[in-house]
Amino acid sequence: MTFHTAPAPDTAPPFVVSIAPDITAMPLAPVDGSFVITFSEALAQSATAAGAVTLVATASGASVDLWALDYGTATFTLTVRPLAVLANSTVHTLSFGSDHTKIMDVAGNPMSAPVAYEFTTFGSPGSLDTTFAGGNGFVVAQAPAGVHAGSALRIDSDGSLVIAGGSAASGMILWRYLANGNPDASFDSDGVVTHQGAFGNTNDAAYDVAILPGGSIVSTGRAQSQLDGADYAAVVWGLGATGTLLNSTGGSFGSAYGTYHIGADGDSTADGFFRDGMYNSEASAVAVDGSGSILVAGRREGTAGVWRLSSVGVPDSTFGTAGFAPLPYAGTPADLRVDGVGRLVVGGYASAGAWLQIAVWRLLATSGAPDTTFGVNYDGAGSADGYVLSQVASGAAGDETIDAIALDSSGRIVATGRSDNGATDWDMTVWRFQANGAGLDATFGSGGYLRHDGARGGTFEWGNALVIDDQGRVVVVGGAETGVLDYDMVVWRVQADGSALDPTFGTAGVAGYDGQALNRDAEAFDVEIDALGRLVLVGASESTTNVEQMTLWRLFP
């Protein structure tokens, strides 16, 4: 006879496994976010009852009403959200207190004891995050020695910060910092890697950076020629996650270039970088597509275009000609994005007679040919030409340049840079183009753009980079003249429709910070949003001895 014993009854109480955001490891949380609490097992419906979870302002004891949004039976998660925005910089306590017995599993076992978690809400929008870099809210790179600046920033999956930049003395520089603002000692032992001589001279520089699946890093820029110091080649460097150049000893990336770089032995192994062009060449921007291919916008011997490389830095012969596709209208590419179907969107500027005009190009993913469903039919041949030009913001009476682009959730192209406002004035400008490139999006700002002047009291201001937050607001970073012979790092936040700056951010939509002392220069060149929604910026700030140094800032959103 066969029989089965009954399973032992469940007598174990449920307990909290984790909370997101992780206020146990970093007791800091946004003022308007949800808390996702993961338990050890499935809970009964009583977990969503009033009083099961409470939130109070610790100092005053005032209760905050919570809304139980969702209980995930399969994921063992309870999601709760404050019904009102919390006060900035205020200590709160999230707890399963006197009514903790309402938190019970499906077998009826309640939590065994009250549990409480204390955290502080974010500071005011645009203020420095004083939990970063030992309480300062910013960190200045002390290595390598001398003058340097950070040009680009990416946040890795573990929250670490990868920065690309350069200096005349050190060449191409990559830094990696931990999420808390400390140098990452696992990255080449001191958190910084340099490289000189990709074209045999001593003036390499990195302009952009990307992280490949698996953690390898690619950085793009240019290298000075050994043959003629006035000539530059475009360069893409490949490094491992620990900062090792992927050459014959550290892996394989790029090609072998004989004696045209320092330390070359003339063998046939890859040198850890891809190089192209003998003069007037540079790799300005990089992106990685869904297949892991590396897309690079820049200039090869004066011709603007895009390279497509494999994940190990080898040109894709099916793309353009030998891996390089020229843009359909001559110009200067500044930034590159890959859209939702793999097409390549490039932003920059082009000549408009005596002035410069902004330009956006779109190339097909597989061939690199101009996308004839995008842009304007300038040549009258019956289809769009794969690009769009505009000089509306300056009234066709001044320069307009795009320095960075982003794609919003509707596929529209949002760009920032500057536009002339008369003969002696630059304005920070944000433009939005229609998704099909037919022209500026008239529903954004004033006829498709927003301009801003006077952020720090001076005449000139400019945007260098932008990011779109989860509410569709456009965050722009750059610099602005102060009126006392220096310029400050500036952050603008633009409302999602472009109608105005966001008055809840900084002072009337603007946050600005001086260099390392009063009246010292500072400027931001790139910005990313971290997992908690905070703004992480990279650029340069001037020391008290007038030395420009790479600087990271972190601001509350």
Side-chain angles (χ1 to χ4, degrees):
M1 182 174 64
T2 301
F3 63 90
H4 299 278
T5 59
D10 177 6
T11 60
F15 58 89
V16 175
V17 174
S18 64
I19 300 179
D22 189 358
I23 54 177
T24 62
M26 171 61 73
L28 189 71
V31 297
D32 59 352
S34 300
F35 295 90
V36 181
I37 307 155
T38 302
F39 289 87
S40 56
E41 57 182 313
L43 300 182
Q45 187 63 36
S46 60
T48 62
V53 186
T54 61
L55 181 65
V56 300
T58 306
S60 67
S63 295
V64 177
D65 290 333
L66 290 174
W67 177 26
L69 292 177
D70 181 55
Y71 174 66
T73 304
T75 57
F76 308 159
T77 55
L78 177 65
T79 302
V80 296
R81 183 183 182 94
L83 288 178
V85 174
L86 304 179
N88 294 110
S89 304
T90 304
V91 179
H92 290 75
T93 302
L94 180 72
S95 63
F96 309 95
S98 58
D99 284 341
H100 66 278
T101 54
K102 291 181 178 178
I103 303 291
M104 63 177 64
D105 63 20
V106 293
N109 300 303
M111 287 185 74
S112 60
V115 181
Y117 304 93
E118 193 170 82
F119 65 93
T120 303
T121 50
F122 282 180
S124 59
S127 64
L128 289 170
D129 176 1
T130 53
T131 68
F132 183 70
N136 293 319
F138 68 93
V139 60
V140 178
Q142 300 303 311
V147 174
H148 41 68
S151 302
L153 164 72
R154 293 295 177 269
I155 301 178
D156 207 345
S157 57
D158 63 359
S160 60
L161 313 173
V162 179
I163 302 105
S167 74
S170 299
M172 182 276 285
I173 308 174
L174 286 180
W175 295 266
R176 192 164 72 193
Y177 281 72
L178 302 175
N180 63 8
N182 293 330
D184 183 352
S186 72
F187 192 70
D188 200 48
S189 77
D190 60 357
V192 60
V193 171
T194 64
H195 188 266
Q196 285 276 38
F199 203 11
N201 217 318
T202 57
N203 197 13
D204 295 2
Y207 301 144
D208 203 2
V209 66
I211 301 172
L212 294 173
S216 294
I217 299 165
V218 290
S219 184
T220 59
R222 69 177 191 176
Q224 191 177 36
S225 171
Q226 182 184 48
L227 305 176
D228 184 341
D231 291 335
Y232 287 85
V235 181
V236 182
W237 291 269
L239 296 94
T242 60
T244 303
L245 190 68
L246 296 177
N247 53 24
S248 55
T249 57
S252 181
F253 187 92
S255 300
Y257 294 101
T259 59
Y260 283 115
H261 67 95
I262 294 171
D265 54 14
D267 65 21
S268 59
T269 58
D271 289 327
F273 56 85
F274 163 80
R275 192 186 73 218
D276 199 7
M278 297 294 289
Y279 60 91
N280 193 14
S281 303
E282 66 180 15
S284 305
V286 61
V288 180
D289 70 12
S291 70
S293 293
I294 302 165
L295 291 312
V296 180
R299 190 171 60 243
R300 184 176 69 178
E301 297 183 352
T303 299
V306 175
W307 291 267
R308 187 165 73 190
L309 311 177
S310 71
S311 60
V312 294
V314 176
D316 180 352
S317 61
T318 68
F319 185 81
T321 301
F324 181 80
L327 298 180
Y329 187 86
T332 300
D335 203 4
L336 168 69
R337 292 289 183 269
V338 180
D339 74 8
V341 294
R343 296 170 301 199
L344 314 179
V345 183
V346 179
Y349 53 91
S351 174
W355 310 109
L356 298 174
Q357 60 188 329
I358 58 173
V360 177
W361 303 263
R362 194 164 79 187
L363 305 181
L364 297 178
T366 54
S367 65
D371 179 359
T372 55
T373 68
F374 179 85
V376 177
N377 179 15
Y378 291 106
D379 62 11
S383 61
D385 295 337
Y387 65 93
V388 57
L389 308 169
S390 179
Q391 202 182 5
V392 173
S394 64
D399 289 338
E400 296 184 37
T401 59
I402 285 175
D403 286 287
I405 61 171
L407 305 180
D408 72 7
S409 59
S410 299
R412 295 169 298 199
I413 302 106
V414 184
T416 192
R418 69 173 178 90
S419 60
D420 286 357
N421 184 4
T424 58
D425 190 3
W426 298 345
D427 290 353
M428 183 284 293
T429 307
V430 179
W431 300 266
R432 191 167 78 189
F433 287 89
Q434 298 174 50
N436 63 4
L440 291 173
D441 177 2
T443 67
F444 182 85
S446 175
Y449 65 92
L450 174 142
R451 299 171 67 161
H452 190 267
D453 196 12
R456 302 296 282 173
T459 303
F460 298 99
E461 63 184 75
W462 57 96
N464 289 326
L466 80 164
V467 66
I468 301 171
D469 71 12
D470 60 1
Q471 298 182 45
R473 298 172 301 195
V474 182
V475 179
V476 177
V477 302
E481 190 182 46
T482 66
V484 288
L485 301 180
D486 79 316
Y487 53 89
D488 287 353
M489 182 276 283
V490 178
V491 186
W492 302 260
R493 191 160 75 188
V494 180
Q495 293 181 356
D497 63 1
S499 60
L501 297 185
D502 177 3
T504 69
F505 184 84
T507 301
V510 178
Y513 294 92
D514 216 323
Q516 298 171 44
L518 185 64
N519 296 334
R520 301 294 180 182
D521 293 340
E523 182 175 1
F525 295 110
D526 204 2
V527 59
E528 290 271 280
I529 295 176
D530 74 4
L532 287 180
R534 295 169 297 192
L535 307 174
V536 185
L537 289 69
V538 71
S541 63
E542 194 176 51
S543 72
T544 56
T545 57
N546 302 321
V547 176
E548 185 181 73
Q549 296 170 294
M550 188 281 284
T551 304
L552 284 166
W553 298 265
R554 193 165 75 193
L555 276 63
F556 288 119

